[in-house]
Amino acid sequence: MSTLENRQWKLVARPSGMVKRTDFEFATEPVREPGAGEVLVKTQYLSLDPAMRGWMNDVRSYVPPVGLGDVMRAGGIGQVIASNDPSLAVGDTVNGGTGIQEYAVMNAKWLTKVDPTFAPLPRYLGALGMPGLTAYFGLLSVCEPKEGETVVVSGAAGAVGSVTGQIAKIKGCRAVGIAGGQDKCKYLIDELGYDAAIDYKADDVRKALRAACPDGVDVYFDNVGGDILDLVLTQLARNARISICGAISQYNNTEPTQGPANYLSLLVFHARMEGFVVSDYAAQFPEARKELAVWIGEGQLKAREHIVDGIETFPETFQMLFNGQNFGKLVLKVAE
Amino acid sequence: MSTLENRQWKLVARPSGMVKRTDFEFATEPVREPGAGEVLVKTQYLSLDPAMRGWMNDVRSYVPPVGLGDVMRAGGIGQVIASNDPSLAVGDTVNGGTGIQEYAVMNAKWLTKVDPTFAPLPRYLGALGMPGLTAYFGLLSVCEPKEGETVVVSGAAGAVGSVTGQIAKIKGCRAVGIAGGQDKCKYLIDELGYDAAIDYKADDVRKALRAACPDGVDVYFDNVGGDILDLVLTQLARNARISICGAISQYNNTEPTQGPANYLSLLVFHARMEGFVVSDYAAQFPEARKELAVWIGEGQLKAREHIVDGIETFPETFQMLFNGQNFGKLVLKVAE
C-alpha cells in the first residue's frame, strides 16, 4: 500500500479571473493506510463543476473555501481498494468528495455505493450525481412547475441544464433552452426534447425569448447570471419563479458580480427569485436518485458526458467549463 | 356645478431624474357634471407616494404610465358633493384614485367609503390606506414572518415602513429599522417600538446591521434598493425572505437601475426575494383594512402624517419623498 504514489492537484494560489496552471501544484505523495472507519479509493473519474471556481475564493459561502496547500475539492467516482470499515468492501464502486487526486483515503460514511452495471460510471457524476440532483431539486422543489407552464433553462446543454429541461418535459411543461452554439441547440431539440432552443452566441436573445415564450416565462432555471438573467427578467409571466442555481458568467469576474439590473421586474410580475444549493436537500437524495434512475432506465432522461483523459490536464480541462467548450457533463478520467 | 373651477396638475413631460415643475402644467378647468354611475368628489387630501415617480415613465410596468397631458394619477380622500349613483350620497367621505386635482368626477365603484369619525382623514391615505395595506401584505403574505424572527425594514420611518415594523412587533418578531437621521431613528425606537434603528446617513450600515442582527436577517422588507439591499444580502439568515416593495434610491436614476450585486447570497443562504404590488391582494383588502383598524383602535399601530398645505406646491412637495425630507406619510392638503 505504502508504495502507491498519489498524484494530486493542490490549490496553491487564489486565482484571479480564470484559473491558471500556476494556481495549482501537481504533487506526488505516498498513499497512507486507511484508519478505522476509513477506506482507500482509487479514483476513476472526477467531476469538474463550475461551483469549484467559487470554492477557490477566500470568501464566506455555503462551504468553506479550499485551503491553500490542500488538494482541490471535487466529486469523484472510483473503486475501494482497501477497507477498514464494514460498510464497504474491496471492489465496491463509490461516489464522494475524493478531490483531484488518484487515490483518496476517506471516511466510509462520506461515500455512496453505486451500481457499476446500471450505468456507465461517469453518469454517476452527471445525471445520476450532483448535477442531476441539482436539476431535480432546483426545478421541482424551488420552482414547483405546473403542467403546461413554460420553463426556460440557461446553460441548457450543460450537466445541470440538460437534466433540468428533460425533467420539465417529464412534468408536462414546455422547455426552452439557452445554450451557446448551433450544435448544442440542435442537441437540445433533437436529443433532449426541448421545445425551443436559443443560441445566445448567434441569436438576439430578447427577440428569440419573446418568440419562444409568447405567454411569458413561468419558470426560469438560471445557471449563468449576467445579461441573460436580466433579459429573462423582462419577460416573466405573472407569479413566475426563478431558481438561482449558479452564475457561470460571473465566476471569473475580477470586478464585482453583475447584479440583475431588472430585478424590479419581480415586483411588476409578482415573481420570486430563490437560491439554493443541492446539499440543502440532502435528506431527500435517496428518493430523488431513485426517480432519476427510473427515468434513465426508461429512456426518458438522456445524458451525455464530455470525458477528458488524464489527471495532469486538470487546470486546462477545468477552463473548458468557462469557455463553453464542454458538450455534456465535463468529466476528467483518471484511470479505467 | 359648472361654475366650479378645478385646479389640476397635468403631466406634460417625462421627467429625467428628479421631477421638475416644468414636467407638469398647473391647469384650471371647469368641472363637468357626473354622468350615470358617477359622483363628483371634492378632494381634501392627496397621497404622495414614491411609486408615482415610476408611473411618470413611459415603460411597461404593473400599471400603464400616466399619459402626457393627463392629470397626474394619485390616491386621494374627499367628500362627495354630487352623486349620480345610489351607492354614494352627498356628504359621504370617500377614498380613491382622484388624481392631483381639486375635484374629481369618478365612477362610484372605484371609490371606497370611509368613516371620518374613526380616524383623521389623512390616516386613510397612510396606515389605513394603500401604504398600510402594502406593509400588511408585503410582510405577512410575502414573507410569512414567524415569532422570534428578525425583521429588517428599510425606509422604516416612511408610510409603508413605519407600519411594517409595527406589524412585525405585533406578530412577535424583532424589528430593526433603517432610516435617515437621528430624529427618525429615535422615532422608530421611542414611538413605533422598533428594537433597533440604523441611521444610514451616519452609521456604518454593515457593522450596525451585524450588531442589530447577530443571528442574521430572517426577513427583509425593502423599500429602498441600492446599496442597502446589497448590504442586507450579505447578512441573511438561512431561509431568509426578502420582500421587494420598492427601490426609492433608484427611481430618479438616469442610468440603469443598480441591480443587487450580492444576489448570489440567495443561493448561499437558501433565501428568496419576491416582488409584489399591493393590488395583487385586492380581494383581501376588506379583511386587512379591518385588522389594521383594530390595531389602530387598540393603540398597537401608531401613525404619523407629514401634511403640506396647498395643491399648488405639488412638484416641490413630491420631491421631498426622494430627499428624505418627509417624516411620516406625505400628504398634500387641498381643502379642509
Side-chain angles (χ1 to χ4, degrees):
Chain A
M1 193 74 66
S2 58
T3 61
L4 285 175
E5 294 220 311
N6 185 19
R7 290 190 299 167
Q8 52 190 197
W9 282 100
K10 293 178 174 179
L11 183 71
V12 295
R14 301 284 171 207
S16 170
M18 191 79 99
V19 300
K20 301 179 300 296
R21 186 162 264 261
T22 51
D23 295 326
F24 305 94
E25 182 194 339
F26 195 37
T28 302
E29 290 193 356
V31 171
R32 74 168 172 84
E33 302 275 344
E38 290 183 333
V39 300
L40 175 62
V41 178
K42 181 178 193 315
T43 311
Q44 291 167 279
Y45 295 94
L46 289 169
S47 179
L48 300 190
D49 297 286
M52 292 164 66
R53 179 63 188 83
W55 306 339
M56 299 174 192
N57 296 334
D58 191 19
V59 294
R60 185 171 88 130
S61 185
Y62 60 97
V63 286
V66 175
L68 290 182
D70 290 353
V71 173
M72 183 59 209
R73 187 187 298 150
I77 192 159
Q79 212 171 21
V80 174
I81 58 169
S83 175
N84 221 333
D85 189 89
S87 69
L88 290 174
V90 170
D92 282 349
T93 299
V94 290
N95 189 346
T98 58
I100 306 287
Q101 54 186 343
E102 292 181 300
Y103 296 94
V105 175
M106 295 179 68
N107 193 311
K109 72 177 173 196
W110 299 118
L111 290 162
T112 305
K113 201 168 145 179
V114 302
D115 175 2
T117 66
F118 176 72
L121 292 189
R123 196 136 306 161
Y124 287 99
L125 301 177
L128 280 168
M130 287 302 155
L133 292 166
T134 300
Y136 185 96
F137 292 105
L139 180 66
L140 300 180
S141 300
V142 175
C143 298
E144 298 176 357
K146 290 185 276 293
E147 203 177 321
E149 287 193 322
T150 296
V151 174
V152 173
V153 182
S154 58
V160 173
S162 60
V163 177
T164 308
Q166 293 180 90
I167 297 179
K169 291 303 298 176
I170 289 169
K171 296 295 180 183
C173 301
R174 281 189 71 237
V176 176
I178 306 175
Q182 284 193 358
D183 286 352
K184 287 180 182 173
C185 284
K186 192 169 153 40
Y187 170 69
L188 293 183
I189 305 271
D190 295 348
E191 300 293 324
L192 303 185
Y194 270 86
D195 297 283
I198 298 170
D199 177 359
Y200 74 86
K201 291 183 176 171
D203 295 340
D204 177 328
V205 177
R206 185 188 302 270
K207 281 187 192 163
L209 256 180
R210 193 166 295 139
C213 312
D215 301 320
V217 177
D218 296 298
V219 168
Y220 176 48
F221 191 105
D222 190 26
N223 289 306
V224 304
D227 292 340
I228 290 178
L229 171 56
D230 255 332
L231 282 171
V232 176
L233 276 164
T234 65
Q235 299 194 32
L236 298 178
R238 270 195 76 75
N239 302 312
R241 289 86 68 202
I242 298 176
S243 186
I244 299 294
C245 177
I248 198 170
S249 72
Q250 305 297 309
Y251 291 168
N252 289 308
N253 278 0
T254 49
E255 298 186 351
T257 297
Q258 177 185 339
N262 295 327
Y263 83 105
L264 290 172
S265 284
L266 297 176
L267 182 157
V268 174
F269 297 109
H270 198 187
R272 72 176 152 85
M273 183 184 277
E274 185 165 334
F276 77 103
V277 176
V278 67
S279 55
D280 299 339
Y281 300 93
Q284 297 160 257
F285 281 180
E287 52 195 297
R289 279 206 178 94
K290 199 179 293 177
E291 198 161 16
L292 289 165
V294 168
W295 291 332
I296 287 180
E298 289 172 347
Q300 289 195 77
L301 181 56
K302 292 175 189 163
R304 171 173 179 148
E305 294 85 25
H306 187 136
I307 299 174
V308 177
D309 204 350
I311 193 171
E312 66 281 3
T313 70
F314 164 67
E316 292 75 25
T317 304
F318 183 68
Q319 287 177 4
M320 295 173 67
L321 288 167
F322 302 95
N323 295 326
Q325 290 171 308
N326 60 306
F327 191 161
K329 164 65 195 165
L330 186 62
V331 172
L332 191 60
K333 181 175 175 183
V334 180
E336 288 296 339
Chain B
M1 194 75 66
S2 58
T3 61
L4 284 176
E5 296 220 309
N6 184 19
R7 292 189 297 165
Q8 51 189 199
W9 282 99
K10 292 177 173 179
L11 183 71
V12 295
R14 302 283 171 207
S16 168
M18 191 76 99
V19 300
K20 302 178 300 295
R21 185 161 265 262
T22 52
D23 295 326
F24 305 93
E25 182 194 341
F26 195 36
T28 303
E29 288 192 358
V31 171
R32 74 168 171 83
E33 301 275 344
E38 290 184 332
V39 300
L40 174 62
V41 179
K42 181 178 193 316
T43 311
Q44 291 168 280
Y45 295 94
L46 289 169
S47 180
L48 300 189
D49 297 286
M52 293 164 65
R53 179 64 188 82
W55 305 340
M56 299 174 191
N57 297 334
D58 191 19
V59 293
R60 184 170 91 128
S61 186
Y62 60 97
V63 288
V66 175
L68 290 183
D70 290 353
V71 173
M72 182 59 210
R73 187 186 298 148
I77 193 159
Q79 212 170 20
V80 174
I81 59 170
S83 175
N84 221 334
D85 190 88
S87 70
L88 291 174
V90 170
D92 282 349
T93 300
V94 290
N95 189 346
T98 58
I100 305 286
Q101 54 185 346
E102 292 180 301
Y103 297 94
V105 175
M106 295 180 68
N107 192 310
K109 75 176 170 194
W110 297 118
L111 290 162
T112 304
K113 201 167 144 180
V114 301
D115 175 3
T117 67
F118 175 72
L121 292 190
R123 197 136 305 162
Y124 287 100
L125 301 177
L128 282 167
M130 286 301 156
L133 292 167
T134 300
Y136 184 96
F137 292 106
L139 180 65
L140 300 181
S141 300
V142 175
C143 298
E144 300 177 355
K146 290 183 277 292
E147 203 178 321
E149 287 192 324
T150 296
V151 175
V152 173
V153 183
S154 58
V160 173
S162 60
V163 178
T164 308
Q166 292 180 89
I167 296 178
K169 291 303 297 177
I170 288 168
K171 296 295 180 184
C173 300
R174 280 190 71 235
V176 176
I178 306 175
Q182 284 193 357
D183 287 353
K184 287 180 181 173
C185 284
K186 192 167 152 42
Y187 170 69
L188 293 183
I189 304 271
D190 295 348
E191 300 294 323
L192 302 186
Y194 270 87
D195 296 284
I198 297 169
D199 177 0
Y200 74 85
K201 291 183 176 171
D203 296 340
D204 177 327
V205 176
R206 185 188 300 270
K207 280 188 193 164
L209 257 180
R210 193 165 294 139
C213 311
D215 301 320
V217 177
D218 296 297
V219 168
Y220 176 48
F221 191 105
D222 189 26
N223 289 304
V224 304
D227 293 338
I228 289 176
L229 171 56
D230 256 332
L231 282 172
V232 175
L233 277 164
T234 65
Q235 299 194 30
L236 298 178
R238 270 195 75 76
N239 302 311
R241 291 84 69 200
I242 298 176
S243 186
I244 299 294
C245 177
I248 199 170
S249 71
Q250 305 296 308
Y251 290 167
N252 289 308
N253 278 1
T254 50
E255 298 185 352
T257 298
Q258 178 185 338
N262 295 328
Y263 83 105
L264 289 173
S265 284
L266 297 176
L267 181 158
V268 174
F269 298 109
H270 198 188
R272 72 176 152 86
M273 185 185 275
E274 185 165 335
F276 77 104
V277 176
V278 66
S279 55
D280 298 338
Y281 299 93
Q284 298 161 256
F285 280 0
E287 51 194 298
R289 281 206 177 93
K290 197 179 293 178
E291 197 162 14
L292 289 165
V294 168
W295 290 332
I296 288 180
E298 290 173 345
Q300 287 195 80
L301 181 55
K302 293 175 188 165
R304 170 172 181 150
E305 293 86 24
H306 187 138
I307 299 174
V308 177
D309 204 349
I311 193 172
E312 65 280 3
T313 71
F314 165 67
E316 292 76 24
T317 304
F318 183 68
Q319 287 177 3
M320 294 172 68
L321 288 168
F322 301 95
N323 296 325
Q325 291 172 309
N326 61 305
F327 191 161
K329 164 66 195 163
L330 187 63
V331 172
L332 191 61
K333 183 176 176 181
V334 179
E336 288 295 342

